[in-house]
Amino acid sequence: MASLCLNSFSPPSPSQPRRLFEPSFPSSSSSSSLTRNNYTLKPIVVRGNPPTFVSAPGRRIVAVGDLHGDLKQTRLALEMAGVLGSDTQDLWTGGQTVLIQLGDILDRGEDEIAILSLLRSLDVQARAKGGAVFQVNGNHETMNVEGDFRYVDSGAFDECLDFMEYLEDYRDHFEEAFLNWIQVSERWKDQRKSQNFWGPMNLVKKQKGVIARSILYRPGGRLACELAQHAVVLKVNDWVFCHGGLLPHHVAYGIERMNREVSQWMKGLGESGNSPFPFIATRGYDSVVWNRLYSRDFGDLDDFEIQQINSILEDTLEAVGAKAMVVGHTPQTAGVNCKYNCSIWRVDVGMSSGVLNSRPEVLEIRDDKVRVIRSKRDRFSELQVVNYL
């Protein structure tokens, strides 16, 4: 596995990259790369564990913001992005597209595990087509692994209890069970809601839901280990993706180092069985998952503050070798937008019914052009187009 820290700002050596997967080809094809519009696409190459640096030559990239447990809105956003069919069969329709979800799948909604399962299922399907699905963890993922359940929807506790009972039928086949959960979660939810628990029985059931969630998300738990497979900072080609925002001291610390430390903590690994808490990535107002510096409203800033923030952003992008950054975390009431000469894109629109219940929007990056997709019917909306040349 690659071991690269960007505090030296040196590129990985050619021997470090690995092909995460090979695309599938027709039996008649003898080529080792995909063909699109009469030119070939090289395989996607990933460095780091969890994935930190991704080379995805020629791919269309789609970024989706915070989902917060709302499966209906999640499906709508993915359909708009052109990566999910609208026939309720949850099939990948994105071909060689790379989908990136910016974190905060957990809290404020009741279908969190179903969304995690859906994204994993789509990733498996996408790999077979030469595409991929990546996730970055947000502050609500790290909060739940810490045991902070302040923002958990009551239905999400119920989903955890349902999922634990469902796992009993699979015993040692968690991977299969997790992939299949998206297919059966609605049935379990409907069955649960048809059983009206009142009084003491309801209280006991809620307590069991809290216990189930603690077991699933504690460091080393089944779903904590699932989250541990995802980064807090992901660089795809010359774009960097994270939930809150990357700062120069994060880059100096080493983004692969941060990803690895968060992953080990979520897995419950460490020198004495408990990995030290990855403070720089997950705690504090300027940590990667909590930072809101780049998402502040210009109306709240004076010219000097804007210049300072722009300078910090420029230094960060130069250090990490990226042309722009994409973040979630802070709902944008005006929709997906860019600031600081479009060096930062803010893609959290508060689409979950537990937040703003706003219209889903997604960001598309194709070659040197960026578009905001704001309508299912007009997938390539010209409302906001930026060329990076």
Side-chain angles (χ1 to χ4, degrees):
M1 198 61 60
S3 178
L4 170 69
C5 286
L6 281 187
N7 41 339
S8 62
F9 307 131
S10 59
S13 66
S15 61
Q16 289 177 320
R18 61 185 174 88
R19 294 184 181 183
L20 182 64
F21 50 86
E22 291 283 2
S24 60
F25 304 98
S27 58
S28 60
S29 173
S30 59
S31 172
S32 61
S33 55
L34 288 164
T35 301
R36 189 188 80 178
N37 298 334
N38 296 322
Y39 66 92
T40 59
L41 291 182
K42 296 179 181 179
I44 294 174
V45 178
V46 176
R47 300 181 182 92
N49 183 20
T52 303
F53 304 99
V54 178
S55 173
R59 264 59 172 199
R60 170 180 179 256
I61 300 171
V62 176
V64 179
D66 304 32
L67 301 175
H68 281 302
D70 193 324
L71 182 59
K72 180 181 178 181
Q73 291 284 71
T74 297
R75 283 193 170 116
L76 180 56
L78 298 180
E79 289 174 23
M80 287 172 53
V83 299
L84 181 69
S86 57
D87 54 6
T88 70
Q89 295 185 34
D90 295 325
L91 299 178
W92 175 260
T93 59
Q96 302 162 50
T97 297
V98 172
L99 169 66
I100 302 167
Q101 198 282 321
L102 271 294
D104 275 11
I105 291 171
L106 302 187
D107 290 341
R108 306 189 191 279
E110 63 180 5
D111 294 311
E112 307 161 319
I113 307 174
I115 295 173
L116 291 171
S117 174
L118 172 62
L119 292 175
R120 172 67 87 82
S121 174
L122 291 177
D123 183 38
V124 172
Q125 297 175 58
R127 293 184 186 197
K129 303 292 185 181
V133 177
F134 295 100
Q135 298 166 233
V136 297
N137 286 316
N139 60 304
H140 283 270
E141 279 73 48
T142 62
M143 288 168 67
N144 275 270
V145 177
E146 284 186 76
D148 185 344
F149 298 158
R150 286 176 293 167
Y151 302 98
V152 179
D153 185 273
S154 61
F157 284 119
D158 292 337
E159 187 190 27
C160 287
L161 183 57
D162 290 345
F163 187 66
M164 288 284 285
E165 293 178 6
Y166 162 79
L167 286 178
E168 294 177 3
D169 294 332
Y170 283 84
R171 298 189 180 276
D172 297 327
H173 302 284
F174 174 79
E175 193 74 14
E176 179 184 356
F178 182 64
L179 281 171
N180 289 340
W181 178 246
I182 184 60
Q183 305 298 328
V184 301
S185 62
E186 289 289 337
R187 186 168 71 246
W188 277 78
K189 183 166 66 173
D190 291 344
Q191 180 179 350
R192 178 214 321 146
K193 290 186 175 181
S194 68
Q195 301 171 353
N196 294 317
F197 293 98
W198 296 97
M201 286 299 294
N202 188 51
L203 179 60
V204 170
K205 184 171 179 287
K206 294 300 182 186
Q207 291 175 334
K208 288 183 177 179
V210 173
I211 293 171
R213 191 175 189 88
S214 300
I215 292 171
L216 289 169
Y217 285 106
R218 68 188 178 192
R222 292 287 199 175
L223 292 182
C225 288
E226 175 64 26
L227 297 176
Q229 298 184 49
H230 309 304
V232 290
V233 181
L234 180 71
K235 186 185 177 191
V236 180
N237 297 337
D238 46 10
W239 287 74
V240 64
F241 301 83
C242 56
H243 183 66
L246 195 66
L247 298 171
H249 72 277
H250 300 144
V251 184
Y253 187 82
I255 61 175
E256 190 167 4
R257 177 184 176 187
M258 283 193 298
N259 285 340
R260 183 172 58 252
E261 289 179 352
V262 174
S263 179
Q264 290 178 339
W265 165 64
M266 288 182 165
K267 292 176 181 177
L269 302 177
E271 294 180 1
S272 61
N274 291 307
S275 184
F277 195 88
F279 188 92
I280 190 171
T282 63
R283 277 277 188 91
Y285 71 93
D286 64 345
S287 64
V288 177
V289 301
W290 281 100
N291 181 23
R292 298 187 192 271
L293 183 66
Y294 306 130
S295 297
R296 295 177 64 185
D297 193 319
F298 268 31
D300 299 330
L301 304 170
D302 58 35
D303 290 344
F304 176 75
E305 289 174 313
I306 292 173
Q307 292 174 4
Q308 288 290 97
I309 296 172
N310 186 57
S311 178
I312 292 171
L313 178 58
E314 288 180 349
D315 289 346
T316 304
L317 293 175
E318 181 180 359
V320 79
K323 65 172 61 170
M325 186 185 307
V326 182
V327 299
H329 190 40
T330 304
Q332 304 295 308
T333 56
V336 173
N337 64 83
C338 67
K339 294 294 182 182
Y340 304 104
N341 298 316
C342 283
S343 293
I344 188 80
W345 285 87
R346 293 99 67 94
V347 299
D348 176 15
V349 296
M351 71 177 78
S352 170
S353 60
V355 185
L356 299 178
N357 198 30
S358 64
R359 177 185 62 184
E361 298 185 10
V362 300
L363 186 71
E364 179 198 61
I365 304 167
R366 188 193 290 266
D367 299 323
D368 290 318
K369 181 171 288 188
V370 180
R371 307 173 190 260
V372 179
I373 303 174
R374 291 182 168 144
S375 167
K376 184 178 179 181
R377 286 177 300 198
D378 187 12
R379 183 170 296 153
F380 304 112
S381 171
E382 296 292 338
L383 288 174
Q384 188 163 23
V385 181
V386 177
N387 285 301
Y388 290 80
L389 301 176

